[in-house]
Amino acid sequence: MNAPVETNAPIEIQPDETFILNVGPQHPATHGVLRVKMEMNGEYIVDAETVIGYIHRMHEKMGEIKTYPQFLMNLSRMDYLGALGYSHGHVLVVEKASAIEVPERAEYIRAIMVELNRIASHLFWFGAFVMDLGGFSPLMYALQDREHILDMLEAVTGSRLTYCYFRFGGVYNDIDDDFISAARKFIPRMRKSLKKYHKLVTGNIIFRKRLEGVAPLSKEICRKYGASSAVARGSGINFDVRKNEPYSVYPEFDFDIPVYHECDSMARYMVRMDEIEQSLRIVEQGLAKLPDGPVMPKKKPKIIKPPAGDYYQAVETARGSFGVRLVSDGDKIPYRLKLRSPTYSNMHLFDEACKGMMIMDALAFMGSLDLVIPEIDR
Amino acid sequence: MICEKTKIALENLFASKGVEETIEPEPVQEVETAGENVDEKQQELPRPDGVIERDYSVHGYHLDAQVPPDLLIDAVKIVDEGEFFIESITGVDWIKENQLEIIYDFSRYDFDLCRVVIRTRIARDNPEIPTITTIYAGANWHERETRDFFGINFVGHPHLVPLLLPEDADFHPLLKDFKA
């Protein structure tokens, strides 16, 4: 007979002994199909490599084989939470290239819609982020508020997530009185909810301890990786494309860019929460200033054929600075259409920034980046 | 302000390296009043290396610098010193001219707005270009993606394996002669 094996003997871990931990491709904390290969020393991350591309669909190739209007619907399949912002960038660059005039009313409607969509995206992020940290109920409150926005958007655009609402030159459906009164009702409701969220979550001691001082990102790392959105603004960088590079009717609105200098995950959280209030302000002003008129231009080329050249347009989406580069050779199909997605750059710095962190902190950090994987993979 | 500074620095770069084909940047108005005819002409003629100031309201960027591949690193160092952040790296396949173009986009965080585009062209048969990951760590994924799509070899890149395409991908879908 063999001697009984002592199972409870303490295991000696060498300080330099590491193991590989695979987070994902299917993992609740990654919010999609994302894999992070982590080299761990106990609870601490020694090295990390993010593996992306699991849901890569090659939108850029589709851009080269479809005509301009045919490609409109692809943009909303990139980021399913804040789809309108991405469509906005696309229509703006094509309008700029082919010199299509957009009626003022259409631009106002676009701005209102994009801001409502941004609030919806931030609400979902808020719920999912708190759920990452172990609090389940805020998600339910957030989804309830988000539902109001989705209902409003559905009535006008016809879809709840993958909108194809913007057209070259305007929008395809004018907003009606029902929408306006629903939006007017929504604004005070959302303000009340925000107060509730701050009471429920922001002051929570467990929540704060999980986030404060965790994952500090310096300005330098943001710059080297091209981070934008709350990732940059949480690190004291006052950068928002709507202000820095004004487009559409954003110069007409009075709103602030929340900037926090703590550089930690809590700062990124606070930036997004404050952004909801700023978006509400834009919607409020947009509804008040909304001019009358058509939503599509009278004169518009039947076939979109931008003159040959190289055009770029950046917009601020819910996830950061989204850019479209259009290289046209004068044909009805783009020669090259590059989509610069913001989360791609924000996610990229995770590898470098998470070194030396504990794994639970790293997951909180990942949540604070606001990942939408189809938008990274395109 | 910073645009002027960067433009002068980039122009000095061309001058100091004594690139023979470098000509003085085109007068701005010629580029901007470009009607369709002129635009077509520009497509026909290969663009000489140099810095051109573009009309922001039309193109969406301010400075457009075409550099030869061996000046790329120096040009990127100039934008790095100007505290620009990296927006993206991408390629364009100019199959008629048998060239691949690599486009680097840079922008700034502050209100001194200046978008800089650095572009370089390399032969399609032997697409090699030095990496800029030593200057901008964030170029890592952008370069891997560009290699995925165009088969461009970024010499000196620390980890040049497929990023978005499958691990064993040996095709480059954005080349114009790619057949699925």
Side-chain angles (χ1 to χ4, degrees):
Chain A
M1 267 186 75
N2 294 334
V5 183
E6 272 187 50
T7 48
N8 289 336
I11 306 161
E12 273 186 25
I13 295 181
Q14 300 298 320
D16 55 349
E17 193 177 311
T18 60
F19 63 95
I20 300 286
L21 180 71
N22 258 308
V23 181
Q26 300 285 348
H27 190 278
T30 59
H31 300 284
V33 200
L34 168 81
R35 175 172 159 227
V36 186
K37 265 196 285 188
M38 287 177 180
E39 192 184 344
M40 307 288 300
N41 182 355
E43 289 264 317
Y44 291 90
I45 299 168
V46 179
D47 202 4
E49 187 197 343
T50 309
V51 184
I52 61 171
Y54 286 96
I55 34 177
H56 175 55
R57 289 145 296 165
M58 202 75 234
H59 277 305
E60 290 175 18
K61 185 71 184 175
M62 286 187 243
E64 288 182 13
I65 56 177
K66 289 175 164 191
T67 61
Y68 288 93
Q70 282 172 341
F71 191 67
L72 275 174
M73 44 75 72
N74 278 63
L75 269 298
S76 54
R77 268 76 181 171
M78 278 180 67
D79 177 354
Y80 51 85
L81 290 179
L84 282 172
Y86 293 75
S87 312
H88 202 187
H90 181 227
V91 293
L92 281 177
V93 73
V94 177
E95 281 157 6
K96 185 160 73 176
S98 28
I100 300 173
E101 291 262 344
V102 186
E104 212 187 357
R105 183 178 174 88
E107 277 293 7
Y108 269 87
I109 295 176
R110 282 180 184 177
I112 293 169
M113 292 299 190
V114 169
E115 293 309 318
L116 282 174
N117 206 197
R118 189 190 312 275
I119 299 172
S121 169
H122 281 356
L123 281 174
F124 195 97
W125 165 81
F126 162 75
F129 179 51
V130 181
M131 198 168 71
D132 279 351
L133 301 172
F136 184 74
S137 39
L139 178 70
M140 295 293 133
Y141 289 104
L143 289 188
Q144 199 186 10
D145 285 331
R146 178 171 171 266
E147 199 62 21
H148 286 264
I149 300 179
L150 294 191
D151 285 345
M152 277 189 273
L153 293 182
E154 186 187 11
V156 177
T157 67
S159 41
R160 293 171 67 82
L161 280 182
T162 49
Y163 318 99
C164 186
Y165 179 55
F166 297 161
R167 296 288 187 275
F168 302 121
V171 296
Y172 101 98
N173 191 8
D174 201 352
I175 56 177
D176 50 15
D177 293 341
D178 289 350
F179 175 86
I180 294 176
S181 65
R184 287 225 168 98
K185 265 186 215 150
F186 173 77
I187 294 167
R189 183 200 154 88
M190 189 62 234
R191 289 210 166 115
K192 220 172 133 196
S193 295
L194 262 181
K195 272 187 201 145
K196 185 167 68 189
Y197 297 158
H198 282 307
K199 252 189 202 163
L200 183 68
V201 177
T202 313
N204 185 309
I205 186 72
I206 303 173
F207 184 76
R208 293 194 87 100
K209 293 239 170 191
R210 285 289 304 274
L211 298 180
E212 280 177 351
V214 164
L217 290 177
S218 64
K219 276 184 190 174
E220 191 62 9
I221 189 172
C222 288
R223 184 172 79 78
K224 292 285 185 185
Y225 282 86
S228 48
S229 85
V231 181
R233 292 195 280 278
S235 294
I237 297 169
N238 186 359
F239 175 72
D240 187 309
V241 185
R242 289 174 294 173
K243 283 273 190 198
N244 290 53
E245 220 179 319
Y247 58 93
S248 187
V249 285
Y250 282 109
E252 310 283 316
F253 298 126
D254 173 30
F255 64 104
D256 302 321
I257 303 301
V259 178
Y260 282 77
H261 296 269
E262 288 83 4
C263 306
D264 55 1
S265 296
M266 191 68 194
R268 292 186 276 278
Y269 166 85
M270 288 308 292
V271 168
R272 289 207 184 86
M273 296 307 273
D274 290 2
E275 266 177 20
I276 295 179
E277 168 59 26
Q278 299 306 323
S279 292
L280 286 174
R281 282 177 67 191
I282 296 177
V283 175
E284 205 172 30
Q285 293 169 39
L287 290 173
K289 286 184 181 174
L290 190 67
D292 288 328
V295 292
M296 284 296 270
K298 282 194 188 114
K299 266 195 193 167
K300 200 189 121 194
K302 277 213 171 108
I303 300 169
I304 309 272
K305 271 188 184 179
D310 186 326
Y311 309 92
Y312 193 89
Q313 173 72 47
V315 291
E316 183 77 18
T317 67
R319 255 149 281 283
S321 159
F322 168 67
V324 187
R325 168 173 295 283
L326 169 66
V327 180
S328 169
D329 60 350
D331 201 4
K332 60 182 178 183
I333 295 172
Y335 192 77
R336 174 88 176 91
L337 196 73
K338 160 77 181 169
L339 307 168
R340 186 265 185 201
S341 56
T343 331
Y344 188 83
S345 300
N346 291 353
M347 182 70 219
H348 189 184
L349 53 77
F350 179 81
D351 287 0
E352 190 178 321
C354 76
K355 279 178 195 167
M357 246 182 236
M358 284 181 87
I359 181 154
M360 290 317 290
D361 288 347
L363 292 183
F365 171 38
M366 198 191 275
S368 77
L369 293 177
D370 192 7
L371 304 178
V372 166
I373 309 300
E375 193 250 20
I376 300 180
D377 286 349
R378 283 163 290 143
Chain B
M1 188 80 169
I2 188 78
C3 258
E4 284 299 310
K5 254 167 88 181
T6 316
K7 189 182 169 202
I8 291 165
L10 284 169
E11 275 168 4
N12 287 343
L13 174 71
F14 284 105
S16 67
K17 296 284 169 169
V19 183
E20 277 172 23
E21 62 264 62
T22 304
I23 54 162
E24 282 302 300
E26 302 282 319
V28 180
Q29 69 271 23
E30 197 189 313
V31 182
E32 297 328 325
T33 52
E36 281 188 10
N37 299 338
V38 187
D39 258 354
E40 271 168 30
K41 245 188 205 165
Q42 275 189 339
Q43 285 297 314
E44 299 295 322
L45 297 171
R47 192 194 134 185
D49 292 331
V51 192
I52 298 179
E53 222 172 290
R54 297 278 191 194
D55 183 0
Y56 173 76
S57 61
V58 176
H59 291 278
Y61 45 86
H62 301 87
L63 291 182
D64 185 346
Q66 177 153 319
V67 300
D70 51 331
L71 281 187
L72 174 71
I73 296 285
D74 296 313
V76 174
K77 272 182 189 152
I78 289 173
V79 283
D80 184 34
E81 277 159 22
E83 303 226 311
F84 284 74
F85 73 85
I86 183 164
E87 188 100 54
S88 71
I89 300 175
T90 189
V92 181
D93 181 11
W94 297 104
I95 192 165
K96 276 185 202 152
E97 290 136 53
N98 200 27
Q99 277 179 329
L100 283 172
E101 183 177 19
I102 306 161
I103 306 176
Y104 299 77
D105 281 291
F106 298 93
S107 184
R108 288 174 64 78
Y109 280 137
D110 58 14
F111 287 85
D112 195 357
L113 179 63
C114 179
R115 276 189 180 274
V116 176
V117 178
I118 294 178
R119 50 184 92 225
T120 181
R121 290 199 176 207
I122 50 176
R124 223 165 161 273
D125 322 315
N126 181 27
E128 273 192 0
I129 188 91
T131 178
I132 64 160
T133 47
T134 44
I135 307 164
Y136 280 95
N140 190 316
W141 279 13
H142 293 294
E143 289 186 350
R144 279 170 72 185
E145 181 196 309
T146 312
R147 180 204 168 265
D148 277 6
F149 294 168
F150 294 93
I152 294 162
N153 181 18
F154 289 88
V155 180
H157 190 285
H159 191 55
L160 201 59
V161 297
L163 179 73
L164 292 172
L165 296 184
E167 297 168 337
D168 54 350
D170 56 353
F171 49 86
H172 304 295
L174 283 186
L175 291 178
K176 291 283 174 189
D177 53 0
F178 167 75
K179 296 269 183 297

